[in-house]
Amino acid sequence: MSSQTYSISDLARELDITTRAIRFYEEQGLLSPERRGQERIYSPRDKVSLKLILRGKRIGFSLAECRELIELYDPSSGNTKQLHSMLAKIAERREQLEQQLLDIEQMKLELDTAEERCTQALELTIKSQQAVR
């Protein structure tokens, strides 16, 4: 792996996130930069971890799930354990989303039914009020 290092502002700019977000992930134990006095020095591994966290967040993974994936990072083995775990988590997330879609469709049907009943009740109320006049 390359010996290139990154400052917190380098990573923030390159990955389009705030330095505060990077510090948060560090506080959560997801990143472990070296320190030179007050300066944080991030390694290529930290950059990969940060990319994985951001990708995981976009597809709905929890920080705990991101941590699991980061802990499996092992480029010397081709990351096979990490990739298998990622595929399993993707399948699980996809299943959750499919269920949520079904739940949303059911909720929409229930809303349609409630709306129709309210509209009918309102029409009947208006007609009966007009008949009284």
Side-chain angles (χ1 to χ4, degrees):
M1 189 163 261
S2 149
S3 62
Q4 181 178 6
T5 59
Y6 308 90
S7 70
I8 193 168
S9 55
D10 291 338
L11 285 179
R13 186 173 37 260
E14 188 172 332
L15 300 174
D16 195 28
I17 59 173
T18 64
T19 56
R20 183 176 180 179
I22 295 172
R23 286 190 299 271
F24 171 77
Y25 297 132
E26 184 182 340
E27 290 166 9
Q28 297 301 308
L30 297 167
L31 301 172
S32 51
E34 290 182 35
R35 297 267 188 169
R36 286 191 199 139
Q38 292 288 79
E39 186 181 10
R40 293 169 168 85
I41 307 298
Y42 294 89
S43 67
R45 181 183 179 103
D46 290 319
K47 182 179 175 182
V48 169
S49 295
L50 192 50
K51 284 181 172 181
L52 188 59
I53 292 165
L54 297 173
R55 183 177 302 128
K57 278 184 52 185
R58 280 193 306 272
I59 58 178
F61 290 173
S62 68
L63 285 183
E65 289 171 315
C66 291
R67 179 178 285 110
E68 287 175 42
L69 292 169
I70 289 167
E71 289 171 356
L72 294 173
Y73 178 70
D74 182 13
S76 66
S77 73
N79 290 311
T80 54
K81 285 183 181 178
Q82 184 189 46
L83 293 170
H84 283 295
S85 182
M86 181 82 161
L87 286 170
K89 289 185 183 312
I90 288 170
E92 185 179 313
R93 183 67 180 134
R94 186 182 310 276
E95 193 174 302
Q96 290 170 348
L97 288 173
E98 297 284 343
Q99 184 59 54
Q100 286 176 332
L101 279 172
L102 290 173
D103 292 346
I104 288 168
E105 286 301 319
Q106 182 62 41
M107 194 177 298
K108 282 172 58 180
L109 288 173
E110 290 176 19
L111 285 170
D112 290 345
T113 301
E115 181 181 40
E116 188 176 322
R117 287 182 180 160
C118 287
T119 301
Q120 288 173 353
L122 184 59
E123 287 172 358
L124 286 173
T125 302
I126 290 171
K127 284 181 184 176
S128 67
Q129 287 175 349
Q130 288 173 347
V132 171
R133 289 183 193 165

